[in-house]
Amino acid sequence: MCGGRGTRLDVDTEKPLYDIDGRPMVDRVRDALVASRIERVYPVVSPHTPQTRDHLDGRIIEAPGEGYVADLQYAIERIDLPVLTVATDLPLLAGDAIDTVLDRHTSGSLTVCVPAALKRILGVSIKTTMDSDEEVAPTGVNIVSDGNAEDMFTTHDARFAVNVNRLADAAVAEEFA
């Protein structure tokens, strides 16, 4: 997913093209997906990210730009399920981390979370939390499938915890990159 406005990051470039350690976040996420067992990658752009659309090669899905959930639904309606969805603001992801998520998936949909305490320790922003056995934050990585079964996978892998939504988050990502 790389079609959002990125207003919280407050930079002059489109959020997916924001560099972490000299490379755009969208390239870092795409490279992680290619290095994983994922068979096909479909970047989802919008009218808010024309430079990102031009930057990407290959197949893309151009969503209407009506918000993350609406654009995600738009994209999901155009591809076969199950599908792994990944936000472009996770520049520390790697193929093995994505494969761990794939290994955890058995059926239905899967939401990947990290402990909110881990995000606080790392010093990155937290937008949303949920209560499970502990307070957790969704990562922006999910497996969407048809059917009603939903599961949650909580990982302590910091690569899932660093979402770049603000400049302070970008500084943390730079430290780890």
Side-chain angles (χ1 to χ4, degrees), residues 1 42 44 61 63-64 70-80:
M1 296 297 299
Y42 297 96
V44 179
I61 295 173
D71 286 357
L72 179 62
Q73 185 63 41
Y74 179 90
I76 287 171
E77 291 170 357
R78 283 152 180 77
I79 51 182
D80 295 328

Side-chain angles (χ1 to χ4, degrees), residues 13-78:
T13 188
E14 293 175 10
K15 183 177 179 179
L17 297 177
Y18 187 79
D19 280 354
I20 298 296
D21 197 33
R23 293 184 50 231
M25 288 195 292
V26 68
D27 290 349
R28 291 175 158 279
V29 171
R30 182 175 49 180
D31 289 351
L33 291 167
V34 168
S36 76
R37 295 192 319 263
I38 295 294
E39 296 174 11
R40 286 180 298 280
V41 177
Y42 297 96
V44 179
V45 298
S46 80
H48 305 299
T49 55
Q51 294 171 341
T52 301
R53 180 190 61 239
D54 294 345
H55 175 81
L56 295 167
D57 54 350
R59 289 184 165 163
I60 62 166
I61 295 173
E62 183 136 6
E66 297 174 355
Y68 185 86
V69 173
D71 286 357
L72 179 62
Q73 185 63 41
Y74 179 90
I76 287 171
E77 291 170 357
R78 283 152 180 77

Side-chain angles (χ1 to χ4, degrees), residues 1-6 8 15-16 29 42-46 48-49 61 63-77 83-90 93 110-112 127-128 138-144 163 165:
M1 296 297 299
C2 48
R5 295 176 195 249
R8 291 176 289 167
K15 183 177 179 179
V29 171
Y42 297 96
V44 179
V45 298
S46 80
H48 305 299
T49 55
I61 295 173
E66 297 174 355
Y68 185 86
V69 173
D71 286 357
L72 179 62
Q73 185 63 41
Y74 179 90
I76 287 171
E77 291 170 357
V83 62
L84 176 85
T85 64
V86 180
T88 195
D89 63 2
L90 291 162
L93 283 184
L110 181 72
T111 300
V112 180
K127 181 180 178 187
T128 304
T139 64
V141 176
N142 301 283
I143 295 179
V144 179
N163 296 77
N165 290 310

Side-chain angles (χ1 to χ4, degrees), residues 119-135:
K119 290 180 81 72
R120 289 183 185 102
I121 289 167
L122 294 171
V124 293
S125 61
I126 303 172
K127 181 180 178 187
T128 304
T129 62
M130 304 178 289
D131 286 322
S132 180
D133 293 336
E134 61 186 324
E135 182 186 25

